Amino acid sequence: MGTVISADGTEIVYKRAGSGPPVILLSGGPGDSSGEQPLAEVLRPFFTVFTYDRRGRGQSGDTKPYSVERDYEDLAAVIAEAGGSAGVYGSSGMGMIGLEAAAHGVPVSRLAMWEPPYIVEGARRAVPADWGDRVAELIAAGRSEDAIQYWLVEIVNVPVEYVTSMRGTPFWAGMAASAHALVYDAAILRDFSVPARAASVSVPTLVMDGGDAALPWIRQGVQEVLRILPAGRHHVLLDQAHDVPPEIIAPVLIKFFEE
């Protein structure tokens, strides 16, 4: 474990494992980087794998005021610690954040994304661009658990009955404690539309999905971002759900990041 100091002076805590070319695993949502550790363990024989708590999460700092540029500076600080350039992998919305970082000039050498949930108009219920404001309102009213439910049901599109069954679990309590971090993700992701600036991302970018097992609206979003990316390529992991196991996705990531 180590720390880097971001451009605004915020301390960012990271973990390093393995040896070889650097690869950074992005984490997000209302949680720290612990969820990325299983994949890090599978990749560590091949790469120097970095995971880090994004600001406002886990052990990292949270200097105010926040802006999306701070997130890109934090990733850049970790990449600097890794040697100045690194491969980046993000699952779901974290892939979208990795793409945004690359578009903003962060020195990403290669980018891999698993089922980025871009929304093509008409494919599913729209996400309001200001959804972070609603999260902030609920938190300010002392309703952090309701903020988590709003995010899962209205933004992530998880069935309400599944979310209800999660309430009262330790996992749920952990998310509620870091609900404020969703406001930061909302500032980057906004309405989940494919950004036109994706056309400026010239680094090799691997976009993956589960084929017929993927939700139709996710597949539409994947196809749209691939249409825009100058160096995008597609890979299907047949019959894999959105929560793909590390041992299934790792061989594809190893091949891509070793090229």
Side-chain angles (χ1 to χ4, degrees):
M1 182 177 291
T3 61
V4 294
I5 304 301
S6 193
D8 70 341
T10 302
E11 186 175 78
I12 302 298
V13 175
Y14 70 87
K15 291 182 180 178
R16 182 201 318 245
S19 61
V23 171
I24 297 172
L25 308 182
L26 294 176
S27 59
D32 61 16
S33 61
S34 59
E36 309 312 313
Q37 297 311 309
L39 179 57
E41 286 298 312
V42 180
L43 295 178
R44 65 182 296 176
F46 305 90
F47 308 105
T48 302
V49 184
F50 289 79
T51 58
Y52 70 100
D53 294 341
R54 288 176 53 220
R55 67 172 55 211
R57 303 162 174 86
Q59 300 181 60
S60 290
D62 192 18
T63 306
K64 300 295 193 301
Y66 173 81
S67 72
V68 295
E69 286 75 18
R70 304 294 84 78
D71 252 302
Y72 307 142
E73 291 165 358
D74 297 346
L75 176 56
V78 177
I79 291 178
E81 181 72 11
S85 180
V88 170
Y89 167 69
S91 176
S92 194
M94 298 313 97
M96 296 160 72
I97 288 176
L99 182 64
E100 291 285 354
H104 281 79
V106 177
V108 176
S109 58
R110 303 177 79 84
L111 174 66
M113 313 163 73
W114 169 254
E115 293 198 341
Y118 289 114
I119 298 175
V120 176
E121 185 175 358
R124 59 151 275 193
R125 182 178 67 240
V127 168
D130 61 351
W131 63 271
D133 293 343
R134 179 56 179 160
V135 171
E137 290 170 2
L138 290 167
I139 293 171
R143 299 170 57 193
S144 294
E145 293 194 39
D146 290 338
I148 294 296
Q149 176 151 336
Y150 167 77
W151 167 63
L152 288 171
V153 175
E154 301 299 331
I155 308 305
V156 183
N157 218 28
V158 177
V160 65
E161 58 272 18
Y162 180 77
V163 174
T164 300
S165 71
M166 296 168 62
R167 280 183 174 262
T169 65
F171 176 67
W172 180 270
M175 288 197 297
S178 300
H180 62 279
L182 291 172
V183 179
Y184 301 167
D185 282 356
I188 301 174
L189 302 178
R190 298 184 58 78
D191 64 357
F192 287 38
S193 59
V194 177
R197 54 186 165 271
S200 70
V201 178
S202 59
V203 300
T205 303
L206 180 65
V207 188
M208 298 167 283
D209 65 54
D212 290 342
L215 294 170
W217 67 268
I218 286 183
R219 295 193 72 187
Q220 286 182 260
V222 165
Q223 291 299 324
E224 179 62 15
V225 73
L226 283 165
R227 186 184 67 81
I228 295 174
L229 285 167
R233 66 180 79 169
H234 187 207
H235 186 90
V236 173
L237 281 169
L238 286 174
D239 302 325
Q240 293 303 314
H242 194 59
D243 189 18
V244 61
E247 64 273 15
I248 298 296
I249 199 169
V252 182
L253 294 175
I254 291 166
K255 181 178 179 181
F256 175 67
F257 285 125
E258 284 186 336
E259 288 179 6

